[in-house]
Amino acid sequence: MKTIVVISLLSLTLFAKNPSVYSQLGDIIYDNSTAIEKLADIAEFSNYKKEIQEYIKNVNDTKKDGFAIESGDRSVDDANYLKKLRELYKKDRNFLRISKISFEESMQNNNVVLFEQLINSGIIELDEHKRAIVEFYTVHKDELSLSKEPKQFVEEALKERKSEIEAREAAKKRESEAERIRWLREKDKEREERRRKQLEEELLKQKREIREYQKEELLGS
């Protein structure tokens, strides 16, 4: 009966996303494993196919151990489980490093197929390469067929870029309008200054004429 209960608990926990034991490390490994497994189908990763398959098997076996520990199975050692996680994490980082190099090379060489496969695999951190992804997509969009998540990511990024461009243009337009208003006000000031000087000159002229007239009147009398 006890064996049946343990098996039942283990079966139920397998439907959970990941074991909660050492989840900070385990979640990274288990969540990346699906993307890493897809690398085996990419031609450029053919030399790693056997290594990837072995890695995925170890991940799945270790995941079962995690769920077993979680269900109270004392036959699985916690320390050994943690040791396996650490070993898997090193390989996880290595696969991510290789994938990143291949991804950058795909853009440098305009390798649309490799770019698409890596993006669709989920192995590439989209936010980290946002600008490069959008630029490559903009040039090769007619050749690309992205899966739902990366397609949505690119579309949102393009919307953001469009909004930024519109905001810059609007700000530039406002600045241009403000500059035009400043120029008009400056011209108004210049006209007012010319009018003021003109009036002063006219007044001075009138005063001189009056003085000349008064002088002539005095001399004539």
Side-chain angles (χ1 to χ4, degrees):
M1 182 68 178
K2 184 178 179 182
T3 304
I4 295 173
V5 171
V6 171
I7 293 172
S8 298
L9 286 170
L10 183 57
S11 299
L12 287 172
T13 52
L14 286 172
F15 288 101
K17 187 178 180 182
N18 298 319
S20 60
V21 185
Y22 302 120
S23 60
Q24 284 187 322
L25 187 57
D27 283 349
I28 296 170
I29 296 164
Y30 300 135
D31 291 347
N32 285 341
S33 64
T34 302
I36 292 173
E37 187 174 12
K38 292 177 182 178
L39 296 178
D41 298 324
I42 299 176
E44 284 77 3
F45 287 80
S46 58
N47 292 336
Y48 298 97
K49 188 170 184 177
K50 188 176 179 180
E51 185 180 345
I52 291 169
Q53 290 172 342
E54 185 179 347
Y55 173 77
I56 295 301
K57 183 181 181 302
N58 290 335
V59 168
N60 291 333
D61 290 343
T62 304
K63 191 172 186 179
K64 288 177 184 178
D65 288 345
F67 281 129
I69 293 170
E70 195 173 272
S71 66
D73 185 352
R74 295 186 179 181
S75 67
V76 182
D77 183 62
D78 285 34
N80 189 47
Y81 174 69
L82 179 59
K83 182 182 177 182
K84 287 181 180 179
L85 286 179
R86 286 171 175 165
E87 290 172 354
L88 290 171
Y89 181 75
K90 290 178 183 177
K91 292 183 179 180
D92 170 278
R93 295 298 97 180
N94 187 50
F95 283 126
L96 262 62
R97 181 184 62 81
I98 296 168
S99 299
K100 185 176 179 180
I101 292 171
S102 296
F103 178 66
E104 290 172 350
E105 288 177 349
S106 75
M107 291 185 290
Q108 290 170 5
N109 301 326
N110 288 316
N111 190 333
V112 177
V113 174
L114 180 58
F115 175 90
E116 180 182 297
Q117 288 174 320
L118 287 169
I119 287 288
N120 287 341
S121 73
I123 197 74
I124 301 301
E125 178 56 52
L126 300 178
D127 283 323
E128 183 182 345
H129 304 280
K130 186 175 182 179
R131 181 182 293 275
I133 290 171
V134 171
E135 288 177 357
F136 191 87
Y137 176 85
T138 303
V139 176
H140 301 281
K141 61 182 177 181
D142 294 333
E143 306 168 67
L144 289 167
S145 178
L146 300 183
S147 56
K148 184 178 179 180
E149 184 178 348
K151 185 175 178 61
Q152 185 176 356
F153 174 85
V154 170
E155 288 175 350
E156 288 297 323
L158 287 171
K159 285 180 183 177
E160 288 177 12
R161 176 177 285 191
K162 184 180 178 183
S163 297
E164 289 172 1
I165 291 171
E166 289 175 348
R168 285 197 297 269
E169 288 178 348
K172 187 177 180 181
K173 186 177 180 181
R174 287 194 298 271
E175 179 60 29
S176 177
E177 182 64 21
E179 184 62 32
R180 190 179 73 86
I181 291 171
R182 284 194 293 271
W183 182 82
L184 290 173
R185 287 175 176 171
E186 188 64 30
K187 290 299 177 183
D188 286 341
K189 287 180 181 178
E190 289 175 2
R191 282 194 293 271
E192 288 296 323
E193 183 64 18
R194 284 197 298 271
R195 289 195 195 99
R196 186 184 65 77
K197 288 181 178 180
Q198 187 177 1
L199 286 172
E200 287 179 353
E201 289 174 358
E202 289 177 354
L203 286 171
L204 287 173
K205 183 180 178 181
Q206 289 176 2
K207 287 179 180 179
R208 283 196 299 269
E209 289 176 350
I210 290 171
R211 282 197 296 270
E212 287 296 325
Y213 175 77
Q214 289 175 340
K215 186 177 180 181
E216 289 175 359
E217 285 291 317
L218 287 172
L219 291 172
S221 59

